[in-house]
Amino acid sequence: MEEILIYNSNMHFEHLQWKEELSFWNDELKFFNDKINELIKRGANKNVLAKLAHYQNEFILHITIMGIIHGGIEELEIKIATQSEENTSAFDKKMIKIHGDFRVKFKRQRKVYSNLKKSFFRFIKIYM
């Protein structure tokens, strides 16, 4: 059976992509919070204020999760650096699994965030 090699450079590239996506999400969340503040300044009713508070809480939660994800990427990068120092260009099976599991978690969070955005856009479409 042929062994699959995943090279450090490929994983590093994927990590850079993930970091860029996290940065984009961060910028979007700033924009969303500006929209929330705009609605608050308009003097929204109690029902709308409750929904705004819900979205603010969701955004805070997502920012926290983004920090955890970023930390996980940094840990993977440290492992890549260690292997590079040892002149190993491909991960062992254990590292391939760790990276693959992280990829699955990132994709899951991408879907959660996408659903949150869709919900928020539906909400602001009604109240803006």
Side-chain angles (χ1 to χ4, degrees), residues 13-105:
F13 180 74
E14 188 170 26
H15 297 162
L16 292 176
Q17 288 178 316
W18 291 342
K19 285 181 177 181
E20 286 295 319
E21 192 166 352
L22 290 173
S23 178
F24 182 75
W25 291 352
N26 189 55
D27 290 343
E28 283 185 319
L29 288 168
K30 288 176 187 174
F31 171 79
F32 298 156
N33 278 313
D34 288 345
K35 290 298 174 195
I36 286 174
N37 290 330
E38 189 179 325
L39 283 169
I40 290 170
K41 287 178 185 175
R42 287 185 181 180
N45 66 40
K46 274 186 169 183
N47 185 34
V48 173
L49 288 174
K51 290 178 182 178
L52 291 172
H54 163 75
Y55 282 110
Q56 279 183 318
N57 290 334
E58 289 292 320
F59 297 158
I60 290 168
L61 176 62
H62 192 73
I63 288 168
T64 302
I65 292 169
M66 287 170 37
I68 293 167
I69 291 170
H70 192 273
I73 293 169
E74 291 301 318
E75 287 178 22
L76 290 172
E77 284 293 297
I78 289 169
K79 290 175 182 174
I80 287 175
T82 301
Q83 287 200 330
S84 294
E85 289 172 4
E86 297 170 354
N87 289 326
T88 305
S89 62
F91 278 114
D92 59 26
K93 289 178 183 179
K94 179 181 175 187
M95 289 306 302
I96 291 170
K97 174 152 179 34
I98 291 170
H99 184 82
D101 291 347
F102 196 88
R103 182 185 293 135
V104 168
K105 290 176 186 176

